[in-house]
Amino acid sequence: MEATVQRKIDRYFASYSDDHRDPLNQRIHLVAVPAILWSVVALVWCVPSFGTWTRTGIWAALAMFGAWSFYNRLSRRLGLGMLAFFFFCGCVCRLVEIRLGLNALLAGAATVFVVAWIAQFIGHHHEGRRPSFLTDLVYLLIGPAWVMAKAYRRLGWKY
């Protein structure tokens, strides 16, 4: 009998998928998880650094680097996709900050955060399963990677 070695990322995805079997809940997650990730980046973007509001984004860049490092250790290919998404998030944050101001970015991020989490809990209520992060907080990071992996599979890419 041949033993198969399962990667850590695959074990995380198997467990996460077990809590997200319902098609409606999955569709909600495909929209809400990236929205939550962007909103967290944007909220952290608004944290002042060095006592001023003029140097924004530093804390968000550090947080994105930390999260990217986690993803990259689990899967280099998935890490590249997450890096691209983080770059997109940073660009959107900077664009909103320049065009509308930091207060608008903060208000928009807070609104997206609340609405997306409400959607998540509606999806889990519909499915009748608890969110994975209530079992282990690491699943707050696994959710975005799970969505990215779904996109990879749809494109026929390996992660």
Side-chain angles (χ1 to χ4, degrees):
M1 184 188 282
E2 186 177 312
T4 59
V5 178
Q6 190 178 33
R7 297 178 306 168
K8 192 172 190 176
I9 188 73
D10 294 320
R11 289 191 304 270
Y12 279 134
F13 286 165
S15 177
Y16 194 86
S17 293
D18 196 44
D19 292 332
H20 302 86
R21 293 185 218 165
D22 181 73
L24 175 62
N25 192 23
Q26 288 183 19
R27 285 193 301 276
I28 289 171
H29 276 64
L30 291 178
V31 174
V33 168
I36 290 168
L37 183 55
W38 173 81
S39 69
V40 169
V41 168
L43 290 169
V44 177
W45 187 280
C46 294
V47 174
S49 56
F50 310 111
T52 69
W53 282 91
T54 57
R55 295 185 182 147
T56 58
I58 292 171
W59 300 119
L62 290 172
M64 288 187 285
F65 178 76
W68 170 79
S69 296
F70 172 78
Y71 296 128
N72 197 53
R73 279 192 311 270
L74 291 174
S75 163
R76 297 236 174 178
R77 290 180 180 174
L78 210 50
L80 286 172
M82 294 307 296
L83 182 63
F85 187 75
F86 283 136
F87 179 77
F88 172 78
C89 288
C91 288
V92 170
C93 289
R94 184 68 179 135
L95 183 63
V96 172
E97 178 186 10
I98 289 169
R99 297 258 171 110
L100 303 175
L102 205 54
N103 288 336
L105 178 61
L106 181 61
T111 301
V112 168
F113 185 84
V114 169
V115 169
W117 272 110
I118 289 170
Q120 295 270 77
F121 283 110
I122 289 171
H124 279 286
H125 177 74
H126 173 76
E127 182 160 358
R129 294 187 182 278
R130 295 170 27 145
S132 297
F133 76 88
L134 293 177
T135 306
D136 186 345
L137 290 177
V138 75
Y139 286 103
L140 289 171
L141 286 170
I142 296 301
W146 182 78
V147 170
M148 184 67 69
K150 278 184 146 320
Y152 274 36
R153 283 191 294 275
R154 178 163 242 168
L155 294 168
W157 298 352
K158 295 180 180 180
Y159 63 87

